[in-house]
Amino acid sequence: MDLQAKKYKENLHQFIPLVLIGVGLIILGLVITKVLTSGDFSTDYTVVPSTVNFPAPELTLNDLAGRKVNLSDYRHQIVLINNWATWCPPCKAEMPILIKYFKAHSDQGFMLIGIEAGDSAEDVESFVDKYGINFPVLLDPNNKSLIAFHNDSLPSSYVVDHNGSVILAWTGPINRAMLEKYLTPLLEQ
């Protein structure tokens, strides 16, 4: 074997592992990109709520019909306040879960209030129609709710008890199991 052929073989042996590593990284990148851009956030992904204790903020916002709604109007009920946006993938993923939970528990003195963070009324109405949202939706063009709760992450949710105290706080999507574990016992008291 001549010297040139020997160098070619050595270079080839060094090159093959690099090609395999490169192909592996490309495949990994494609998988990560698919997961991040699909908007398909599994309902198995959820966050556990934090236990908190502070008075519910005084908020007055308009509903889709333009009527003023004050959160204090729902005192003496267990209320889940859900801050969301039409463009937010985890918000979209949890919305069917919230709709089903509200339908299953609304006769137990439970209220769910969706507060949409900043989109136009037309976009919100379209979203509400598309998802078949069956609970009150309030418009928050100036993000008063996010400011009042000191949390600009979406989705974020808060449980307000019968006394008007916020007792649980979620930052991130909620699945049905978390609602049943943490919220349903409050409804049964």
Side-chain angles (χ1 to χ4, degrees), residues 32-71:
I32 290 171
T33 300
K34 174 68 175 157
V35 168
L36 292 178
T37 60
S38 71
D40 182 20
F41 289 80
S42 169
T43 55
D44 291 339
Y45 174 74
T46 190
V47 291
V48 175
S50 299
T51 302
V52 295
N53 186 11
F54 60 90
E58 288 294 325
L59 279 173
T60 301
L61 300 167
N62 290 334
D63 65 13
L64 288 170
R67 294 179 298 252
K68 292 201 177 298
V69 176
N70 192 315
L71 293 185

Side-chain angles (χ1 to χ4, degrees), residues 57 59 83 140 142-152:
L59 279 173
N83 291 308
D140 192 7
N142 299 314
N143 295 317
K144 290 179 182 179
S145 182
L146 296 175
I147 293 166
F149 283 103
H150 306 288
N151 186 351
D152 62 358

